[in-house]
């Protein structure tokens, strides 16, 4: 099935049953084996409200064989075509009693290998010794994100809230956005959510004592100008 029309119209699509129980358990096992045996790592962020792994596909590459099962590869190719590669990945683990929440925002930065003066690349930052920058909106408009749900995600444990079609309005300040079409994106365990980076999204605190684990992967097929490179680039095997 091609989900592109829904993604272009609303900014997102939810697809259930992309992974079976065995695949999810294998991904969980690989994550737990790595985190249990790692005492200190610059890409790991841990607090009482959140555990996160940046550059996830680099830190735990064995998960990729299970993440990119035939279902996911077919969805990507049938929806977007060929030639896309990973540009960024983050693992989020929101504990049962988490008070962590995120206000409405767009995903405006990409991870790159160095800092340099390039027209329309702005708002440079550094996180975990990695450069991030806001590229021209044309790059962001053509990228997409897939969120893989390791746990059932509901409004009670922090499912994303989105503003439908907000991705089509370009880069906006939140106060200039009409908040009229909010949707709660509940996703079953083993399902995915595909979204455009410019879609305004947020998440709330956990209220039902249920854990929420998500693998967030960003994709592009665009090369960057003037010798700038994607720092987390990893090609998808056919």
């Amino acid at each position: 099935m091609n989900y592109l029309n829904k993604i272009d119209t609303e900014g997102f699509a939810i697809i259930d049953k992309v992974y079976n129980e065995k695949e999810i358990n294998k991904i969980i096992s690989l994550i737990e084996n790595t985190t249990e045996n790692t005492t200190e790592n610059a890409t790991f962020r841990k607090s009482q409200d959140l555990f996160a792994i940046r550059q996830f596909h680099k830190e735990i590459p064995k998960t990729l064989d299970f993440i990119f099962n035939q279902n996911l590869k077919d969805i990507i190719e049938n929806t977007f075509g060929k030639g896309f590669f990973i540009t960024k990945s983050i693992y989020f683990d929101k504990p049962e009693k988490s008070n962590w929440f995120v206000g409405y925002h767009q995903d405006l930065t990409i991870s790159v290998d160095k800092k340099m003066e390039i027209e329309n690349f702005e708002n440079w930052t550094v996180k975990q010794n990695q450069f991030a920058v806001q590229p021209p909106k044309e790059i962001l408009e053509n990228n997409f994100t897939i969120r893989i749900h390791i746990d059932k995600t509901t409004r009670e444990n922090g499912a994303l809230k989105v503003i439908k079609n907000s991705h089509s309005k370009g880069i906006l300040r939140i106060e200039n956005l009409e908040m009229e079409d909010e949707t709660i994106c509940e996703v079953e365990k083993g399902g995915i959510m595909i979204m455009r980076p410019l879609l305004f999204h947020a998440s709330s605190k956990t209220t039902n004592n249920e854990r929420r684990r998500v693998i967030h992967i960003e994709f592009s097929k665009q090369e960057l100008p003037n010798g700038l490179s994607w720092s987390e680039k990893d090609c998808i095997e056919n």
Side-chain angles (χ1 to χ4, degrees), residues 2 29 32 72 77 82 85 95 97 99 111 131 133 150 161 170 191 196 201-202 224-225 231-232:
N2 188 314
S29 175
E32 289 180 345
L72 189 68
E77 184 170 333
K82 297 182 178 181
F85 47 82
K97 299 184 182 298
N99 285 318
S111 299
F131 293 103
V133 65
I150 293 175
K161 301 178 291 185
R196 293 294 190 184
H201 56 287
L224 300 175
S231 61
E232 295 184 47

Side-chain angles (χ1 to χ4, degrees), residues 136-220:
K137 72 180 180 67
E138 290 77 16
I139 290 178
L140 297 172
E141 286 173 338
N142 288 296
N143 291 354
F144 65 90
T145 297
I146 293 180
R147 293 170 58 88
I148 298 159
H149 288 254
I150 293 175
D151 301 298
K152 182 177 181 177
T153 303
T154 67
R155 66 176 63 232
E156 286 80 22
N157 71 339
L160 281 194
K161 301 178 291 185
V162 305
I163 306 298
K164 281 185 181 179
N165 196 39
S166 56
H167 69 296
S168 69
K169 307 179 190 306
I171 296 172
L172 284 179
R173 294 178 65 88
I174 184 65
E175 55 265 30
N176 296 329
L177 178 69
E178 295 181 10
M179 309 288 284
E180 59 193 24
D181 204 358
E182 182 179 81
T183 300
I184 308 294
C185 298
E186 297 186 316
V187 185
E188 293 293 327
K189 178 179 180 179
I192 67 171
M193 176 180 177
I194 306 176
M195 58 183 281
R196 293 294 190 184
L198 294 183
L199 182 74
F200 272 91
H201 56 287
S203 65
S204 301
K205 298 176 182 179
T206 299
T207 61
N208 64 352
N209 290 325
E210 291 186 3
R211 189 177 189 181
R212 175 169 70 83
R213 289 169 290 183
V214 174
I215 299 170
H216 167 116
I217 307 178
E218 300 178 15
F219 297 85
S220 182

